[in-house]
């Protein structure tokens, strides 16, 4: 949010290894397993090295492991993860299955940020046989990934902490789609240490020196036709509210996923500050294979709206109801340029209803039929006023 402006990049350097549903490992000949593991990560632009390898039955330990993620510049010591343990390694259909991958507790300092991570594990990691024609082979699946805790400090002050992060995946089988869920049961952000003094002052005035909350997500993916449905992505903050989105896309096939992966790898390999416009255009070209089926953006209030109105009223020397009435009056004028009288009327009614009794407000896009991304992009550039009609946008409140 308003944390150190490079925080998310640094957190990625410590946690991204677990967020890759494309990791791998495996098997009985230890060096073969390790080499496959390394090659699979390299295919995603992630470099992994180790100083030594040991084997004990079905366990393999990669000692003094270092990981470098694409596009993330970090000091050499920050790349040192430590001993990575692969337990329950076994052959499976010419490939490998790993019962559990365990990362050691990690501690490092990157650009003044002290980062700690513990309890990181990946379970049920599968690596298909080399040379397989399975279109999912480049997207090696895991069944569960967890991180017990992550904390970020600067100058002895807590900036951010997260507890019980976990993701679960049910691989596609017998025509059924892949299903996934994830959550972080608790996070805390210290806004008092934010970079922007003005923003910090505003947040304090509204009673937010820290933010405590959680996030939850769920969805499915059908590899056969590329139907991707993010049915839940909710970010809940105590004494503020819950922000949620859903997204329904088509055309996200394994081939497209691999092509996007390769393009991201090429972009990461470009020198810092180099021209990436060609790759960016190529990425947009690939994205045009997608189709848009629907989306929602929703906010469920838990006192944030009232606090914002009270703060603005205090700044203007008026009552909160006066600020709410100002907002109601402005909305129709803001939406006039969309040239969509029906949307303007429904949005105005929804905003009025919400400000009179803040419960929830939702923006929904539900086109009558799937819309190719090429048409969405063209409409956004040439006729943005018609895009809301194409996408079937509506606004509702307190429903």
């Amino acid at each position: 949010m308003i944390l150190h402006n490079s925080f998310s990049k640094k957190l990625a350097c410590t946690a991204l290894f677990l967020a890759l549903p494309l990791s791998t490992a495996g098997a009985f000949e230890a060096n073969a397993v390790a080499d496959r593991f390394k090659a699979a990560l390299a295919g995603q632009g992630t470099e992994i090295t180790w100083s030594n390898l040991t084997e004990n039955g079905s366990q393999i330990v990669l000692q003094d492991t270092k990981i470098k993620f694409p596009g993330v510049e970090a000091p050499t010591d920050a790349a040192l993860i430590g001993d990575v343990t692969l337990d329950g390694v076994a052959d499976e259909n010419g490939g490998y299955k790993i019962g559990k991958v365990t990362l050691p507790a990690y501690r490092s300092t990157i650009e003044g940020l002290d980062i700690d991570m513990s309890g990181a594990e990946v379970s049920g990691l599968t690596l298909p046989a080399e040379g397989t024609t399975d279109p999912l082979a480049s997207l090696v699946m895991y069944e569960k990934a967890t991180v017990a805790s992550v904390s970020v400090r600067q100058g002895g002050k807590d900036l951010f902490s997260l507890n019980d992060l976990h993701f679960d995946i049910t691989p596609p089988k017998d025509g059924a789609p892949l299903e996934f869920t994830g959550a972080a049961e608790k996070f805390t952000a210290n806004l008092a240490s934010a970079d922007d003094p003005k923003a910090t002052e505003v947040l304090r005035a509204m009673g937010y020196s820290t933010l405590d909350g959680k996030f939850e997500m769920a969805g499915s993916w059908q590899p056969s036709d590329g139907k991707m449905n993010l049915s839940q992505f909710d970010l809940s903050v105590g004494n503020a509210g819950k922000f949620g989105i859903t997204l329904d896309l088509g055309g996200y096939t394994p081939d497209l996923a691999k092509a996007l992966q390769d393009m991201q790898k090429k972009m990461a390999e470009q020198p810092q500050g180099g021209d990436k416009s060609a790759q960016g255009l190529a990425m947009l070209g690939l994205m045009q294979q997608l189709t848009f089926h629907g989306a929602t953006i929703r906010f469920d209030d838990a006192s944030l709206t009232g606090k914002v109105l009270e703060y603005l009223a205090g700044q203007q020397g008026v009552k909160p109801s006066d600020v709410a009435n100002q907002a109601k009056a402005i909305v129709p004028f803001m939406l006039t340029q969309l040239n969509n009288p029906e949307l303007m009327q429904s949005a105005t009614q929804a905003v009025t209803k919400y400000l009179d009794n803040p419960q929830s407000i939702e923006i929904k896009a539900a086109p009558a039929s799937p819309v190719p991304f090429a048409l969405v992009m063209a409409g956004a550039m040439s006729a943005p006023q018609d895009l809301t009609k194409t996408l079937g946008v509506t606004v509702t409140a307190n429903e």
Side-chain angles (χ1 to χ4, degrees):
M1 197 167 177
I2 319 171
L3 297 175
H4 190 287
N5 56 16
S6 64
F7 160 70
S8 56
K9 185 176 179 181
K10 310 314 170 193
L11 180 57
C13 185
T14 64
L16 184 58
F17 178 78
L18 293 169
L20 292 170
L22 316 170
S23 300
T24 117
F28 262 134
E29 211 291 291
N31 286 309
V33 176
D35 289 343
R36 183 79 63 83
F37 185 58
K38 183 175 184 176
L41 289 178
Q44 300 159 38
T46 300
E47 300 177 15
I48 181 171
T49 59
W50 50 87
S51 64
N52 190 34
L53 178 154
T54 63
E55 178 184 8
N56 183 12
S58 63
Q59 182 185 82
I60 297 173
V61 178
L62 308 178
Q63 298 177 336
D64 301 324
T65 302
K66 293 182 180 179
I67 298 178
K68 183 179 184 302
F69 298 105
V72 177
E73 296 296 331
T76 302
D77 60 341
L80 177 61
I81 301 298
D83 293 352
V84 175
T85 304
L86 317 180
D87 282 304
V89 184
D91 289 312
E92 184 176 84
N93 301 322
Y96 306 113
K97 183 70 176 280
I98 303 177
K100 184 170 66 176
V101 180
T102 305
L103 278 69
Y106 172 81
R107 173 173 292 182
S108 186
T109 299
I110 304 175
E111 295 184 11
L113 295 178
D114 299 319
I115 301 172
D116 289 86
M117 180 179 72
S118 64
E121 296 181 353
V122 178
S123 303
L125 198 60
T126 302
L127 177 61
E130 189 173 4
T132 181
T133 58
D134 185 346
L136 293 177
S138 63
L139 307 176
V140 180
M141 302 296 171
Y142 61 73
E143 296 172 2
K144 187 177 185 69
T146 61
V147 178
S149 67
V150 176
S151 67
V152 180
R153 295 168 60 86
Q154 185 178 47
K157 295 181 180 180
D158 295 325
L159 294 183
F160 179 83
S161 66
L162 179 148
N163 298 96
D164 195 9
L165 175 68
H166 53 92
F167 299 94
D168 293 270
I169 293 177
T170 301
K173 187 177 181 181
D174 300 328
L178 175 150
E179 295 181 350
F180 58 89
T181 61
E185 299 302 331
K186 181 180 179 181
F187 68 81
T188 301
N190 181 7
L191 304 182
S193 300
D195 287 340
D196 189 336
K198 289 186 177 180
T200 301
E201 182 182 346
V202 171
L203 289 165
R204 280 180 172 171
M206 291 192 292
Y208 297 118
S209 57
T210 62
L211 295 181
D212 296 296
K214 66 177 182 177
F215 100 86
E216 301 171 281
M217 65 178 295
S220 64
W221 176 49
Q222 179 54 268
S224 60
D225 60 9
K227 186 73 180 300
M228 173 71 78
N229 179 26
L230 180 64
S231 57
Q232 178 189 25
F233 191 96
D234 292 337
L235 183 67
S236 303
V237 178
N239 298 318
K242 179 173 70 175
F243 176 78
I245 64 173
T246 68
L247 183 63
D248 194 354
L249 302 175
Y252 190 73
T253 62
D255 286 342
L256 176 58
K258 183 64 168 63
L260 289 172
Q261 238 180 65
D262 293 341
M263 188 59 62
Q264 289 172 336
K265 180 182 176 183
K266 290 180 181 178
M267 293 178 73
E269 291 172 348
Q270 286 280 349
Q272 192 169 9
D275 185 6
K276 300 182 181 180
S277 56
Q279 289 88 346
L281 289 173
M283 184 79 76
L284 288 175
L286 291 172
M287 295 289 285
Q288 291 187 30
Q289 299 179 42
L290 298 172
T291 54
F292 179 84
H293 293 239
T296 64
I297 300 174
R298 180 184 176 96
F299 178 71
D300 290 273
D301 186 65
S303 80
L304 175 62
T305 303
K307 291 175 181 177
V308 171
L309 292 176
E310 288 178 6
Y311 173 78
L312 294 176
Q315 295 294 301
Q316 299 176 32
V318 299
K319 294 183 295 185
S321 58
D322 295 329
V323 177
N325 289 331
Q326 292 172 15
K328 296 174 191 177
I330 291 172
V331 169
F333 293 100
M334 293 177 59
L335 298 179
T336 299
Q337 58 185 335
L338 294 178
N339 192 29
N340 188 337
E342 186 176 332
L343 175 60
M344 182 178 70
Q345 181 179 1
S346 67
T348 300
Q349 291 174 347
V351 170
T352 297
K353 185 177 181 180
Y354 176 78
L355 290 175
D356 287 341
N357 180 22
Q359 295 181 31
S360 67
I361 189 161
E362 180 176 279
I363 302 172
K364 182 177 182 179
S369 59
V371 180
F373 256 55
L375 183 59
V376 175
M377 294 166 62
M381 291 185 289
S382 61
Q385 67 275 12
D386 294 328
L387 192 57
T388 56
K389 297 177 182 178
T390 302
L391 299 181
V393 177
T394 57
V395 183
T396 58
N398 301 346
E399 293 184 1

